[in-house]
């Protein structure tokens, strides 16, 4: 095992660079991994790393897995996207003994990584998926509210991201995650089972702690899986403030979902959107918010909020903190979401603040 090396796969991409910056700011030196040697050298220079800082050139997930198997880094942070396809390959390459982190928010990617749980325990490895805002910003509240209490009957989590948009390519990692969530269609937990629902069928009106009101639309996501796992509740739903709540958009979502399930269409859309250039725009609100409402069979109901700044900055900080803590020997072996592996205070370490956690809801 290479002593405490943290590898960033996709280190020249937007998310990879952001995670690397956070690790450098914490006083560590990550190993940058990507397809192009010149871009890796530029990324290292932009981070203020020395010219002899280690980088690894690998043409894709398979080549990266070979390098991981041969060089044995302590922690691998996967930011290359398409997690449903890349996570198992790369996580297995980390074992035995090495640890794995990604930012997946796709229930299918979650389930595939969780299937490696027993293998990871036997290997002494920790595999963490969902190391980003939506999952940690909501599951950490659920974990706090459920601490030392019986299993609740119902849970709903709401992710209200606010992020500035930089001008530049949208990138495959971001686009693939969005497309695959939409293609999956509606999902929620009923009676402990993941069941199909109408995509965008339910809308919840939220009043944020700062007084702003907005609509949040029910969608399938990693937040849904994480909230179910951390709470054990039989009934769980998840919403997102990023999905337009207009009747026209919501009416079109089921058809869009069906079209995106056609493989050739899905791949075409991902390829085209990944090459689109986003226009720079400030974040739409001052704060990013995670929210959870939890009910117990005795009629008790509690809710809480987590406040962060820019959602992308928080995502990078969550991934970096997860990697740093795993490299320091913290965390439970097996396959987990971030708060399950490292505790609800991971959200605080990443720059979040719990607000009004434990208040009775109405």
């Amino acid at each position: 095992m290479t002593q405490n090396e943290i590898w960033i796969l996709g280190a020249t991409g937007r998310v990879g660079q952001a995670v690397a910056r956070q690790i450098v700011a914490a006083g560590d030196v990550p190993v940058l991994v990507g397809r192009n040697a010149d871009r890796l050298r530029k990324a290292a220079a932009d981070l203020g790393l020395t010219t002899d800082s280690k980088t690894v050139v690998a043409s894709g997930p398979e080549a990266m897995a070979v390098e991981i198997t041969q060089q044995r880094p302590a922690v691998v942070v996967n930011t290359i996207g398409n997690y449903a396809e890349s996570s198992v390959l790369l996580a297995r390459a980390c074992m035995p003994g090495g640890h794995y982190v990604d930012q997946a928010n796709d229930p299918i990617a979650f389930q595939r990584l969780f299937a490696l749980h027993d293998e990871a325990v036997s290997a002494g490895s920790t595999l963490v998926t969902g190391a980003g805002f939506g999952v940690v910003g909501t599951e950490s509240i659920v974990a706090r509210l459920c601490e030392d209490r019986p299993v609740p009957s119902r849970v709903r989590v709401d992710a209200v991201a606010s992020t500035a948009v930089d001008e530049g390519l949208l990138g495959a990692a971001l686009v693939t995650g969005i497309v695959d969530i939409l293609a999956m269609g509606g999902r929620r937990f009923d009676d402990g089972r993941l069941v199909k629902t109408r995509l965008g069928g339910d809308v919840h009106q939220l009043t944020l702690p700062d007084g702003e009101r907005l609509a949040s639309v029910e969608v399938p996501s990693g937040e849904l899986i994480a909230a179910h796992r951390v709470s054990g509740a039989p009934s769980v739903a998840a919403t997102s403030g990023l999905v337009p709540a207009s009747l026209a958009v919501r009416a079109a979502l089921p058809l869009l979902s069906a079209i995106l399930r056609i493989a050739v269409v899905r791949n075409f859309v991902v390829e085209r959107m990944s090459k689109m250039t986003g226009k720079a725009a400030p974040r739409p609100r001052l704060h990013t918010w995670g929210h959870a409402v939890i009910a117990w069979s005795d009629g008790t109901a509690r809710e809480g909020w987590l406040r962060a700044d820019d959602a992308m900055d928080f995502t990078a900080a969550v991934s970096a903190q997860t990697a740093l803590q795993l490299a320091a020997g913290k965390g439970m072996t097996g396959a987990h979401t971030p708060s399950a592996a490292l505790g609800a205070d991971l959200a605080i370490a990443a720059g979040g603040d719990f607000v009004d956690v434990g208040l009775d809801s109405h």
Side-chain angles (χ1 to χ4, degrees), residues 32-38 40-41 55-60 63-64 67:
L32 309 186
V33 183
R35 298 171 183 267
N36 184 286
D38 290 337
L40 286 172
R41 281 192 289 269
T55 60
V56 176
V57 179
S59 60
M64 291 174 181
E67 294 292 341

Side-chain angles (χ1 to χ4, degrees), residues 29-217:
V29 180
V31 174
L32 309 186
V33 183
R35 298 171 183 267
N36 184 286
D38 290 337
R39 292 183 64 192
L40 286 172
R41 281 192 289 269
K42 182 180 185 306
D46 290 344
L47 290 167
L49 302 181
T50 61
T51 54
D52 61 349
S53 295
K54 180 179 176 179
T55 60
V56 176
V57 179
S59 60
E62 291 79 9
M64 291 174 181
V66 170
E67 294 292 341
I68 293 165
T69 300
Q70 292 176 346
Q71 300 197 44
R72 312 307 305 156
V75 183
V76 167
V77 182
N78 175 10
T79 75
I80 63 177
N82 197 15
Y83 297 113
E85 302 301 326
S86 68
S87 62
V88 171
L89 171 69
L90 294 167
R92 277 212 166 105
C94 294
M95 296 189 277
H99 310 301
Y100 170 87
V101 182
D102 70 35
Q103 301 83 37
N105 198 22
D106 171 7
I108 294 174
F110 271 46
Q111 290 163 352
R112 290 180 179 175
L113 196 73
F114 292 148
L116 302 181
H117 177 77
D118 291 344
E119 188 176 337
V121 171
S122 297
S125 295
T126 302
L127 315 179
V128 177
T129 189
F133 157 65
V135 171
V136 173
T138 54
E139 74 162 353
S140 58
I141 310 168
V142 176
R144 280 276 181 110
L145 293 175
C146 290
E147 194 173 82
D148 299 324
R149 294 184 60 84
V151 173
S153 55
R154 296 192 314 278
V155 172
R156 192 191 81 236
V157 293
D158 309 297
V160 183
S162 178
T163 189
V165 178
D166 296 328
E167 185 171 349
L169 295 177
L170 295 180
L174 174 63
V175 170
T176 301
I178 294 171
V179 168
D180 286 348
I181 286 174
L182 292 175
M184 185 177 186
R187 294 290 190 277
R188 63 159 54 201
F189 283 94
D190 256 337
D191 198 24
R193 296 179 300 109
L194 189 63
V195 299
K196 293 182 179 181
T197 62
R198 186 180 185 279
L199 182 62
D202 285 345
V203 179
H204 295 273
Q205 301 298 325
L206 303 178
T207 301
L208 306 180
D210 59 12
E212 182 181 354
R213 293 180 60 84
L214 56 80
S216 196
V217 178

Side-chain angles (χ1 to χ4, degrees), residues 4 7 28 42 65 76-77 121 138 165 169 181 190 197 218 225 257 272 286 298 301 319 335 360:
N4 290 335
W7 284 22
D28 211 321
K42 182 180 185 306
V76 167
V77 182
V121 171
T138 54
V165 178
L169 295 177
I181 286 174
D190 256 337
T197 62
E218 191 169 325
I225 308 300
S257 177
R272 291 297 297 270
L286 182 60
D298 64 0
S319 290
D360 293 339

Side-chain angles (χ1 to χ4, degrees), residues 258-278:
I259 293 172
L260 290 175
R261 284 196 292 272
I262 302 171
V264 65
V265 175
R266 179 260 188 200
N267 294 338
F268 174 79
V269 171
V270 167
E271 182 180 358
R272 291 297 297 270
M273 287 185 64
S274 298
K275 296 176 181 178
M276 292 174 62
T277 301

Side-chain angles (χ1 to χ4, degrees), residues 316-357:
V318 167
S319 290
Q321 282 297 320
T322 300
L324 289 164
Q325 291 190 30
L326 292 177
K330 300 178 182 179
M332 296 190 301
T333 58
H336 305 282
T337 53
S339 296
L342 294 163
D345 285 347
L346 176 67
I348 303 299
D353 293 301
F354 290 110
V355 179
D356 297 336
V357 173

